[in-house]
């Protein structure tokens, strides 16, 4: 027989679990975006003097990306290194580790979105500044050159049926219209 006594174990277990609803699980992208946003905010607060988000500009973003290089895992050979321009180096060298271009590019994309989600206007978004795109292009080209692998933009492959099906549809429309 169950007791309605507030001190009984059955009433304690139901009341303790009912109000605690777990928050909705964030996607991997959303979690990473939140982490990146918090990291950037901490970076700004650690500047001397601290920089308010409203005072942040593209130079702070560039400094942040350069700061992140110290935590990179991509070996980028210096111009004087014997392995400069070789995609598969034969041995170790003292060249620095850097953030990979793709990682920086994805980071900027997430921070650009987070800036606007946190009340920033698209016109004032420091992550959308042209200087950021130039910096990322320079990093991409330098890393490709250091590895001896020229960066080539991937072309979108078109399905061979796309052209024929669309022209056949065009022909069918013209024929049915009597043109």
């Amino acid at each position: 027989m169950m007791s309605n006594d507030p001190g009984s174990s059955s009433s304690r277990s139901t009341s303790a679990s009912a109000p605690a609803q777990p928050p909705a699980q964030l996607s991997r992208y959303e979690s990473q975006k939140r982490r990146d946003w918090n990291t950037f905010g901490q970076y700004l607060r650690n500047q001397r003097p601290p920089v308010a988000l409203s005072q942040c500009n593209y130079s702070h973003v560039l400094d942040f990306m350069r700061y992140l290089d110290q935590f990179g895992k991509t070996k980028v050979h210096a111009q004087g290194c014997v392995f400069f321009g070789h995609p598969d180096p034969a041995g170790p060298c003292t060249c620095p580790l850097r953030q990979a271009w793709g990682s920086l590019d994805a980071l900027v994309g997430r921070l650009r979105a987070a800036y606007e989600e946190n009340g920033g206007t698209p016109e004032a978004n420091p992550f959308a500044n042209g200087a950021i795109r130039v910096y990322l292009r320079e990093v991409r080209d330098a890393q490709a050159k250091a590895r001896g692998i020229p960066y080539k933009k991937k072309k979108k492959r078109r399905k061979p049926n796309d052209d024929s099906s669309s022209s056949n549809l065009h022909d069918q429309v013209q024929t049915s219209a009597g043109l």
Side-chain angles (χ1 to χ4, degrees):
M1 183 171 152
M2 296 193 87
S3 166
N4 287 338
D5 176 47
S8 74
S9 62
S10 63
S11 67
R12 269 185 265 143
S13 63
T14 56
S15 65
S17 63
Q21 290 288 336
Q25 187 71 22
L26 293 176
S27 70
R28 184 174 179 221
Y29 171 79
E30 291 296 329
S31 296
Q32 187 65 53
K33 184 169 54 171
R34 180 181 288 178
R35 243 187 331 271
D36 292 340
W37 183 249
N38 290 336
T39 302
F40 183 69
Q42 186 64 45
Y43 173 80
L44 291 177
R45 286 188 296 276
N46 289 339
Q47 298 302 299
R48 294 292 168 240
V51 177
L53 190 58
S54 60
Q55 301 301 312
C56 172
N57 61 38
Y58 73 90
S59 65
H60 296 107
V61 177
L62 292 173
D63 291 341
F64 178 64
M65 289 193 289
R66 290 182 191 113
Y67 160 78
L68 290 176
D69 268 343
Q70 66 184 311
F71 307 110
K73 296 176 184 143
T74 301
K75 177 75 76 168
V76 179
H77 299 290
Q79 199 116 24
C81 178
V82 295
F83 300 124
F84 182 82
H86 296 287
D88 299 313
C93 67
T94 60
C95 292
L97 294 173
R98 303 268 189 233
Q99 287 291 331
W101 164 76
S103 298
L104 289 174
D105 188 45
L107 170 75
V108 167
R110 289 188 300 268
L111 289 173
R112 184 177 183 171
Y115 179 85
E116 293 176 17
E117 288 172 9
N118 286 285
T121 62
E123 302 81 36
N125 193 330
F127 303 99
N129 189 285
I132 305 300
R133 287 191 298 275
V134 169
Y135 176 78
L136 288 171
R137 190 176 318 121
E138 288 171 355
V139 168
R140 181 195 67 200
D141 294 345
Q143 290 183 4
K145 186 185 267 187
R147 283 190 215 104
I149 304 169
Y151 176 81
K152 297 221 181 345
K153 191 170 188 176
K154 293 180 184 177
K155 293 182 180 177
K156 292 184 181 179
R157 290 178 52 183
R158 294 177 65 169
K159 293 181 184 176
N161 295 342
D162 283 350
D163 292 335
S164 60
S165 65
S166 65
S167 63
N168 287 342
L169 180 61
H170 180 66
D171 294 340
Q172 291 170 359
V173 170
Q174 285 185 339
T175 305
S176 66
L179 298 174

